[in-house]
Amino acid sequence: MIEIKHPQEQARLRRLALAAQGLLQAQPYGRGLAGARKAINHLGSVQIDTISVVERAHHHVFYSRVPNFKPVMTEQMLLNGDIFEYWAHAAAFLPIADFRFSLPYKHAIKNGQTHWYRNSDRKLMDKLLARIRSDGPIRSRDIETNTTKRAGWWDWKPAKKALEQLYMEGDLMVSAREGFQKIYDLTERVLPSHVNSQMPSMEEFAAHIVDQQLRCHGLVSLKGLTYQRRNAELRKAVKALVNERLAQRTLEQLQVSSGEVFILETGAFERPLPRLRNRMLILSPFDNSVIQRERLKALFQYDYQLECYVPAAKRQYGYFCLPLLFRDEFIGRMDCKAHRKISYLEIKSLHLEQHNFDEALVIAAFVDAITQFCQFQQCDSVSLTQAHPKHLTQRLHSALKPLR
């Protein structure tokens, strides 16, 4: 086992993890729609989230990696059959090529091995399926009212639950979205005919997870490999596969100063890595690189919590703080809100942590990042309310003045 003791070794691990995430290179997957396709195929999933104080998380993840990405491109990929929606560690867009690996969870829900809703209304589900089969795709809001125009429909909550249960069991797929509104249709009408829909064996599923996680993270913990997956049989198969590959020496282990053990491909630690640039990235709280908080702390010594779920009086940094990545370190967080009607980005607070970088470089990188971020948010002006440490406030105000 490799023991990581020196700062240079720790820095190399950070670069390995970030390069695997596509966060060091200028355009690791290319540009625009083609780049977005390659990005999700590499990452394996992009989390969907409802919070919209800034551009939604799934668009933000692509924006951070793909130059010239536009939010409409996510909808294009869904309509083109490049991606599909389902549950990964959370609601997510997934590469269509990975469709078969959504089947074990769907079958477990349908067979009662696990539950989405414990008391499913099968009669209601059958009626919903029959309507969709005869009348075509349906939006959840199409069943929200019980009016004379919708004779035969039911209270919104039971019908919405039935619709979601059919989706989670795999009978329905999301065929498109109108804004953030899902449109459901029969799986056989949505799934492209060329896509492999054969149920994977547990060994195939385990190999898929191990290969995909190593590809997009560079190094992983055994716990992280099955992050938020509660399937004991799958965890057992993943552990067996990792042990087999360790014995074959195609994988190796290393231990960081916190004591946490990571797994990586043999020789990966010595591979050439992209050069670091004085670039700052403003990331989503649901970005693939930060979503596993324990891993983030072990590798980057960055203690991050999304405080929108914390009572307002107990928040330390703000409602929806975005992680700030400079070169290969997470050096701060920014709480902001896009006021779209007036094209204005409000930075409520900017918090920079202790670091060893030149402040002028950091401020210049932040201004570059916020300039591009404003364009992504369709905002043409920005303000800063408060900054920490306080001595940077005036310098930041001056640097941001051209953007006001």
Side-chain angles (χ1 to χ4, degrees), residues 225-275:
L225 279 168
T226 52
Y227 177 70
Q228 296 287 42
R229 295 181 187 269
R230 296 175 176 84
N231 185 327
E233 189 180 356
L234 175 62
R235 289 180 174 180
K236 184 178 178 181
V238 165
K239 185 175 182 180
L241 179 60
V242 167
N243 287 336
E244 179 185 334
R245 292 187 182 183
L246 287 170
Q248 295 169 345
R249 298 187 179 180
T250 58
L251 294 180
E252 59 186 354
Q253 293 177 306
L254 55 81
Q255 188 174 43
V256 297
S257 56
S258 66
E260 189 160 358
V261 174
F262 288 94
I263 303 148
L264 68 167
E265 291 180 354
T266 299
F269 189 63
E270 289 80 27
R271 288 177 191 163
L273 293 168
R275 291 182 179 179

Side-chain angles (χ1 to χ4, degrees), residues 193-345:
S193 59
H194 67 273
V195 174
N196 187 344
S197 58
Q198 182 178 5
M199 174 72 77
S201 67
M202 195 55 68
E203 291 74 23
E204 287 177 315
F205 197 9
H208 166 73
I209 286 173
V210 171
D211 292 342
Q212 188 266 325
Q213 289 290 293
L214 285 170
R215 182 180 71 242
C216 76
H217 286 303
L219 63 158
V220 293
S221 66
L222 189 60
K223 181 181 178 181
L225 279 168
T226 52
Y227 177 70
Q228 296 287 42
R229 295 181 187 269
R230 296 175 176 84
N231 185 327
E233 189 180 356
L234 175 62
R235 289 180 174 180
K236 184 178 178 181
V238 165
K239 185 175 182 180
L241 179 60
V242 167
N243 287 336
E244 179 185 334
R245 292 187 182 183
L246 287 170
Q248 295 169 345
R249 298 187 179 180
T250 58
L251 294 180
E252 59 186 354
Q253 293 177 306
L254 55 81
Q255 188 174 43
V256 297
S257 56
S258 66
E260 189 160 358
V261 174
F262 288 94
I263 303 148
L264 68 167
E265 291 180 354
T266 299
F269 189 63
E270 289 80 27
R271 288 177 191 163
L273 293 168
R275 291 182 179 179
L276 295 175
R277 296 178 292 149
N278 293 326
R279 180 177 74 153
M280 183 175 288
L281 289 177
I282 301 166
L283 298 179
S284 167
F286 301 105
D287 193 274
N288 299 52
S289 64
V290 303
I291 200 64
Q292 292 188 35
R293 312 300 193 209
E294 290 180 15
R295 180 182 189 275
L296 185 65
K297 191 171 183 179
L299 287 179
F300 294 91
Q301 292 74 57
Y302 184 63
D303 192 1
Y304 177 73
Q305 180 185 18
L306 180 57
E307 295 183 321
C308 61
Y309 307 117
V310 175
K314 295 184 178 181
R315 289 175 194 149
Q316 184 178 0
Y317 300 108
Y319 175 77
F320 199 68
C321 274
L322 312 180
L324 303 179
L325 176 67
F326 179 68
R327 291 175 65 88
D328 64 344
E329 294 186 33
F330 287 91
I331 66 164
R333 57 204 87 199
M334 176 180 70
D335 186 37
C336 60
K337 177 178 175 62
H339 299 270
R340 296 177 182 87
K341 289 183 179 179
I342 54 174
S343 303
Y344 157 60
L345 183 71

Side-chain angles (χ1 to χ4, degrees), residues 41-60:
N41 284 330
H42 177 85
L43 295 171
S45 69
V46 171
Q47 183 169 338
I48 302 167
D49 194 74
T50 59
I51 296 173
S52 59
V53 290
V54 292
E55 188 61 68
R56 295 188 193 273
H58 41 288
H59 301 317
H60 195 159

Side-chain angles (χ1 to χ4, degrees), residues 41-86:
N41 284 330
H42 177 85
L43 295 171
S45 69
V46 171
Q47 183 169 338
I48 302 167
D49 194 74
T50 59
I51 296 173
S52 59
V53 290
V54 292
E55 188 61 68
R56 295 188 193 273
H58 41 288
H59 301 317
H60 195 159
V61 171
F62 286 115
Y63 157 79
S64 298
R65 293 162 174 80
V66 181
N68 202 34
F69 173 80
K70 302 291 188 296
V72 69
M73 293 175 183
T74 309
E75 175 71 11
Q76 285 179 266
M77 288 189 289
L78 186 62
L79 290 172
N80 292 344
D82 300 318
I83 60 176
F84 72 105
E85 287 192 37
Y86 197 61

Side-chain angles (χ1 to χ4, degrees), residues 131 135-155:
R131 166 163 177 176
D135 295 354
I138 194 171
R139 300 167 300 180
S140 58
R141 71 181 178 199
D142 290 334
I143 57 174
E144 287 178 9
T145 57
N146 186 12
T147 65
T148 53
K149 290 183 180 179
R150 297 290 183 191
W153 283 103
W154 311 268
D155 290 341

